[in-house]
């Protein structure tokens, strides 16, 4: 007896275009993107607008000046905007490599500030920004998953090019900020 797909030739063509049901990996990527993206967007909103118990742009700017970023308000605004836009992009799976680059750039700057204090957060180290940067790079490399606005686009599937773009663009942005 022939398999069911061989009984009717047109059945095979139609079955290949049907999307398989959602899988755990797509749900896991969605959960990861939403968690990290929305937390980073909220963190940026603290800097920019004083939301969620944040201090707002003026106070954040003074903090940035204390770290050596001058003018502080400009760099606080740049970091806050990168976190808000990058976080929302990562959460929605929209322009994922660019969103990842924005987050990687901010996190490289945070790691540069924290590096003298070691790895662990207990001593003021860089474990948190390192983790965020790796998550952003991983999402760029794997693609945002099926539940993402990028899904129909070429970069919505991840890959070496998307990961390289996110890492290089984020690294160049961070290097520019650190050089200023």
């Amino acid at each position: 007896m022939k398999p069911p797909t061989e009984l009717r030739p047109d059945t095979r063509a139609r079955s290949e275009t049907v999307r398989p049901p959602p899988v755990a990996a797509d749900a896991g990527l969605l959960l990861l993107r939403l968690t990290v993206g929305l937390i980073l967007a909220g963190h940026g909103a603290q800097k920019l607008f004083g939301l969620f118990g944040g201090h707002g742009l003026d106070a954040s700017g003074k903090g940035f000046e204390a770290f050596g970023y001058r003018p502080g308000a400009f760099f606080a605004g740049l970091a806050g905007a990168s976190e808000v836009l990058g976080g929302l992009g990562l959460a929605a799976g929209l322009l994922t490599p660019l969103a990842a680059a924005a987050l990687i750039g901010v996190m490289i700057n945070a790691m540069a500030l924290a590096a003298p204090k070691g790895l662990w957060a207990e001593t003021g180290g860089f474990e948190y920004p390192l983790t965020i940067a790796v998550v952003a790079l991983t999402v760029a490399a794997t693609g945002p998953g099926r539940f993402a606005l990028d899904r129909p686009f070429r970069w919505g599937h991840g890959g070496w090019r998307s990961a390289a773009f996110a890492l290089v663009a984020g690294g160049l942005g961070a290097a520019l900020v650190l050089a200023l």
Side-chain angles (χ1 to χ4, degrees), residues 5-138:
T5 56
E6 289 184 23
L7 294 176
R8 293 184 45 213
D10 64 327
T11 305
R12 183 177 186 148
R14 271 188 278 142
S15 68
E16 289 175 358
T17 61
V18 174
R19 297 182 104 186
V23 295
D26 291 308
L29 276 169
L30 176 64
L31 181 61
L32 181 71
R33 287 190 356 257
L34 286 173
T35 302
V36 173
L38 293 177
I39 286 174
L40 264 291
H43 193 72
Q46 288 178 314
K47 284 182 184 75
L48 292 175
F49 312 115
L51 298 176
F52 312 116
H55 300 291
L57 192 54
D58 289 336
S60 294
K62 289 177 184 169
F64 270 64
E65 284 201 15
F67 287 128
Y69 291 90
R70 287 185 176 69
F74 170 78
F75 286 106
L78 183 61
S82 296
E83 289 171 344
V84 168
L85 296 174
L88 291 176
L90 194 73
L94 179 62
L95 301 173
T96 304
L98 187 59
L103 297 178
I104 289 168
V106 172
M107 294 302 117
I108 289 172
N109 272 274
M111 286 186 275
L113 288 175
K117 298 175 183 173
L119 175 63
W120 303 112
E122 286 79 19
T123 60
F126 62 94
E127 70 175 289
Y128 175 73
L130 174 64
T131 301
I132 297 299
V134 169
V135 166
L137 181 60
T138 300

